[in-house]
Amino acid sequence: MFLQHSVRGLITKRFFAQGMTAQRNFGSLVSTAELASSLDQVKVLDGSWHMPNANRDPYQEFLQQHIPGARFFGIDEIKDTTVNLPHMLPTPEVFAEAVGNLGISEKDQVVVYDSVGIFSATRVYWTFKAFGHQNISVLNGGLQKWIKEGRPTETGATNFSAVKYAVPTLNKQLVRDYAQVLENARQGGKPAQVLDARPHARFTGEAPEPRPGLSSGHMPGSISIPFNVVIQDGELLDTEKLRDIFVSRGVDLDKEIVTSCGSGITASTLYFALEQVGAKNVAVYDGSWTEYADKKDSIIEKDQ
């Protein structure tokens, strides 16, 4: 690997106790300054992912430029390969093996970023949380802010050794499946509030889905909150603005919430934003619209 800028003097601040404990020391959202002063105390993951029609290869982009010491977390590789859906959660065994092979243990503090700012990194964050890894944070502004600030980057593959990651237990409270959201739809969108992160025109049915053969529209009773409304210039809005966005759209933060999107990526962005404003009962519909709209018994509404 080739270090593009000197990192001498970069790592000065310490956030963690000797030996690394399971106690959380970072918040779930960290700044570029926090990460820059702690690169030797955390494991950094590049969780970049792009829509298929973007014709971009996130791993090749990682090899061209990444934060020093970062490892690449392949959302489309570390997944359930037994289903015909884009990137469903892997089994606990597959997750443990994949993360251990990235040189990460269940006790490590992990900071994940993506090349957009706040986008697919939140999917990796939610994946770790679903498997009980609490020491996980998202880099606010991502790689683009890191580069804009003139911070060091590397090229090529990162050298590290695999470690043992204990097989975790899936926290089912953070995940919803098709049967659960279908029953919720049959009850008119109750008891769970379903927040849909897709663009509003796809929610209403005015615009088509990017995946061929899928109808646009929405689940009965669901609420449209396009993921980009919680982000500005690649960074997450502050908690006061986030709270205003959710409350103004009729979301009760004290009640059950399920987030959904096209394939589970930006649903995780809403999940992450809801965490920031203190919502406690939040889950992601893993299959999201790609699964839901493909089912013959799904209930789809359009605003026409």
Side-chain angles (χ1 to χ4, degrees), residues 188-242:
K190 298 177 182 178
Q193 306 163 96
V194 176
L195 310 189
D196 194 320
R198 292 174 301 148
H200 187 67
R202 286 163 57 189
F203 177 90
T204 62
E206 298 171 80
E209 288 295 309
R211 294 174 175 86
L214 286 185
S215 170
S216 57
H218 58 270
M219 302 176 208
S222 56
I223 302 170
S224 175
I225 304 184
F227 82 96
N228 57 347
V229 303
V230 304
I231 300 165
Q232 184 173 11
D233 299 326
E235 297 185 54
L236 196 70
L237 296 176
D238 63 44
T239 54
E240 184 176 348
K241 290 179 180 177
L242 289 174

Side-chain angles (χ1 to χ4, degrees), residues 10-12 31-40 139 146 151-152:
L10 179 69
I11 304 164
T12 57
S31 68
T32 50
E34 287 177 301
L35 178 58
S37 62
S38 305
L39 279 176
D40 64 341
L139 179 63
W146 183 273
R151 300 189 187 277

Side-chain angles (χ1 to χ4, degrees), residues 178 182 186 213-215 285 289-300:
Y178 175 71
L182 177 62
R186 286 172 173 164
L214 286 185
S215 170
Y285 171 27
W289 196 254
T290 299
E291 179 181 48
Y292 184 85
D294 192 49
K295 297 288 189 178
K296 292 181 179 180
D297 60 344
S298 64
I299 307 170
I300 296 176

